[in-house]
Amino acid sequence: VNIGFDKIIPEISKCHSDKNTNLRFTTEFVDTTLNMPFEAALKLFKLLNRRGKSAECTEGNVVETVPSGIIGAPRSSLTDSLAILGGASDLVTISHASSSAEFFHENEYPLFGRTIPSVEVDATMVVSFFKEELNATHLGVLYVNDPYGISYANSIRKAAGNGGITVKQIALLE
């Protein structure tokens, strides 16, 4: 992309036809430490502290600059803090695995998007199976007390309520 390869996105060649254009595409990988939302948010905060500083070339011609987006937070518990901090900093946050229904709240997560459906779709299908295939009238939901678990349990309760099924929820690892 940085040399004007335009087979996928033809507009890329226009970026390099003008010699005055100083456009570079970069990627920076940050380990979000799977289960540590605070540490992940702290790493993002450190990246955001680069604002106002000129881009620095380091070993191997790596440019350290401010991120323009966040891609790949793998868990809803991580996405929660990253999407709030990212949204407050005008950074789009895209997740391939965070499915909590809480991320529909546009006031809290204004720039969040995902590439998978929310947990509400899963919950609807689970409740449908229990009702239509197993003739269940009561369900028990054991869930981990984190943003994903709470969202999943609430989505099951909502879907079950729409189908006339009683639900008992129990949180684990409080």
Side-chain angles (χ1 to χ4, degrees):
V1 171
N2 285 324
I3 59 172
F5 183 72
D6 61 359
K7 297 299 181 205
I8 297 173
I9 304 171
E11 291 79 4
I12 293 293
S13 65
K14 295 175 187 170
C15 295
H16 294 281
S17 63
D18 180 359
K19 298 298 179 198
N20 295 324
T21 301
N22 191 16
L23 178 65
R24 300 275 306 159
F25 293 93
T26 62
T27 303
E28 187 163 347
F29 295 93
V30 177
D31 182 1
T32 55
T33 320
L34 273 180
N35 295 312
M36 305 294 198
F38 179 79
E39 284 81 358
L42 185 60
K43 289 176 182 181
L44 176 58
F45 183 74
K46 287 179 181 179
L47 292 176
L48 293 173
N49 276 336
R50 295 178 183 169
R51 280 206 170 117
K53 298 178 183 174
S54 58
E56 299 174 22
C57 292
T58 60
E59 184 181 330
N61 197 26
V62 174
V63 177
E64 292 184 350
T65 187
V66 179
S68 56
I70 303 165
I71 300 174
R75 295 179 44 97
S76 294
S77 58
L78 288 172
T79 299
D80 185 45
S81 58
L82 294 177
I84 289 173
L85 183 55
S89 302
D90 291 325
L91 297 177
V92 172
T93 303
I94 305 291
S95 176
H96 65 287
S98 298
S99 58
S100 174
E102 296 303 309
F103 300 129
F104 282 124
H105 300 290
E106 291 183 22
N107 290 339
E108 283 187 64
Y109 310 100
L111 299 175
F112 175 75
R114 61 177 130 222
T115 60
I116 62 169
S118 81
V119 73
E120 289 179 337
V121 173
D122 296 336
T124 300
M125 300 313 300
V126 166
V127 169
S128 175
F129 174 78
F130 274 95
K131 181 178 181 176
E132 295 173 19
E133 300 298 324
L134 303 177
N135 297 316
T137 57
H138 294 77
L139 290 176
V141 179
L142 298 174
Y143 64 96
V144 176
N145 196 13
D146 69 6
Y148 173 78
I150 293 167
S151 176
Y152 188 72
N154 290 339
S155 295
I156 290 282
R157 179 181 294 274
K158 180 180 173 184
N162 293 339
I165 297 176
T166 304
V167 176
K168 174 68 177 172
Q169 296 177 199
I170 300 173
L172 302 173
L173 302 173
E174 295 184 86

